[in-house]
Amino acid sequence: MASFDLSSRVALVTGGARGLGRAMAAALAAHGATVLINGRSQAALDEAARSVGGHSAVADITDAASRDALFARIEAEHGGLDILINNAGARARRPLEDFAPGDLERVTEGNVFAPFELCRLAAPMMRARGRDSARGRIINIASIAGPIARGGDAAYTAAKAGLIGLTRALAAELGSGGITVNAIAPGFFATESNTQMVEDPAIGAWLKTRTSLGRWGRADEIGGAAVFLASDAASFVTGHVLVVDGGHVSHF
Ligand SMILES: NC(=O)c1ccc[n+]([C@@H]2O[C@H](COP(=O)([O-])OP(=O)(O)OC[C@H]3O[C@@H](n4cnc5c(N)ncnc54)[C@H](OP(=O)(O)O)[C@@H]3O)[C@@H](O)[C@H]2O)c1
């Protein structure tokens, strides 16, 4: 169990007030990490921080000044960062011809550009802190829309595939500095952002036959993957995409 212990690690989870981010923040905190929960709403973050046992870290990750201020606060208040989970994303489910100019940029900004910039800020901090213990961890939350695709979701699929490419590229670049970079590709989880789909019985019936486990994922079922990749147990795992989907990508 010691290799899963995260005490003395400082972790930032973007978009951690609800859904998968909140579940991963809770799992990291339960394994001893000091967890900084990011989002744009101070009230939502304060509630999540109280419930999970972390700290609020308000910032809009798509805004450069906001990102810089967040990292300056992390350095001043926590002396650096060991674990970065790029979880906040942006969605745009619609057919190609319903996209307006600028939509693709917005989706890419949340799913690729902001994680890229956060990695750029985090890497020197992780190198400085973890030089002797090689414990810097970057975990990008991609999606099974990345390795596989379906119609009506082109911008998101392209952006998440980009995030997986970024994961591999940074794994290659940052490994010598003791930083691992991995992705988690969640399948269909019953989070707030999917409420409409969760309430649609046709989608429930489709998932029953389309996934090996035959159901939606619960948010807490992502926590184990995040703890594993953040911990010493995964010290030789990098550039990997860990699919957590109840058997969707693997199921024909
Ligand atoms: N749920 C699924 O089934 C599923 C499947 C595959 C992949 N994913 C991926 O997993 C991640 C989490 O999805 P989710 O459904 O759990 O959460 P979500 O409902 O999409 O949102 C998560 C959080 O992101 C925050 N956020 C959004 N934009 C932000 C920004 N610019 N700066 C800071 N925070 C921001 C939101 O808080 P505020 O609005 O208060 O800032 C919200 O609390 C996403 O990257 C998503 O693409 C989810």
Side-chain angles (χ1 to χ4, degrees):
M1 292 302 287
S3 61
F4 292 95
D5 180 28
L6 299 176
S7 10
S8 81
R9 313 284 166 102
V10 177
L12 171 65
V13 181
T14 69
R18 65 173 195 228
L20 301 184
R22 185 184 180 118
M24 290 186 283
L28 296 185
H31 283 75
T34 297
V35 183
L36 315 180
I37 305 174
N38 159 259
R40 293 166 298 186
S41 156
Q42 185 73 56
L45 290 177
D46 289 346
E47 185 281 318
R50 264 195 310 276
S51 152
V52 160
H55 304 264
S56 302
V58 73
D60 180 344
I61 58 150
T62 62
D63 179 81
S66 192
R67 284 191 299 264
D68 288 345
L70 172 64
F71 272 73
R73 280 204 313 278
I74 293 173
E75 183 70 61
E77 291 169 19
H78 301 280
L81 188 69
D82 303 294
I83 301 161
L84 167 63
I85 302 193
N86 281 311
N87 166 75
R91 285 220 59 101
R93 243 183 228 126
R94 51 185 167 271
L96 178 63
E97 282 153 46
D98 293 350
F99 276 91
D103 284 351
L104 178 62
E105 283 88 335
R106 188 183 59 76
V107 176
T108 310
E109 186 174 40
N111 287 301
V112 185
F113 186 90
F116 180 100
E117 291 298 322
L118 292 175
C119 289
R120 204 165 63 77
L121 291 166
M125 268 189 187
M126 289 179 179
R127 262 198 303 271
R129 226 166 129 86
R131 194 165 288 132
D132 300 326
S133 52
R135 64 183 194 180
R137 299 281 186 270
I138 294 173
I139 303 169
N140 294 323
I141 307 306
S143 168
I144 56 170
I148 61 171
R150 63 192 184 121
D153 211 5
Y156 182 76
T157 303
K160 289 300 194 186
L163 184 60
I164 289 172
L166 178 67
T167 301
R168 294 194 179 113
L170 292 185
E173 184 168 330
L174 302 179
S176 60
I179 301 170
T180 69
V181 188
N182 292 288
I184 295 175
F188 285 74
F189 277 80
T191 57
E192 292 91 326
S193 59
N194 284 336
T195 301
Q196 237 184 336
M197 287 168 70
V198 173
E199 286 169 355
D200 184 339
I203 295 182
W206 174 71
L207 279 181
K208 219 177 177 82
T209 58
R210 183 59 190 79
T211 60
S212 302
L213 295 183
R215 61 173 175 84
W216 285 90
R218 297 187 314 270
D220 63 284
E221 292 180 302
I222 203 86
V227 168
F228 169 61
L229 291 175
S231 72
D232 287 345
S235 56
F236 203 52
V237 180
T238 196
H240 184 68
V241 181
L242 180 51
V243 174
V244 182
D245 70 345
H248 191 106
V249 167
S250 62
H251 191 108
F252 181 62

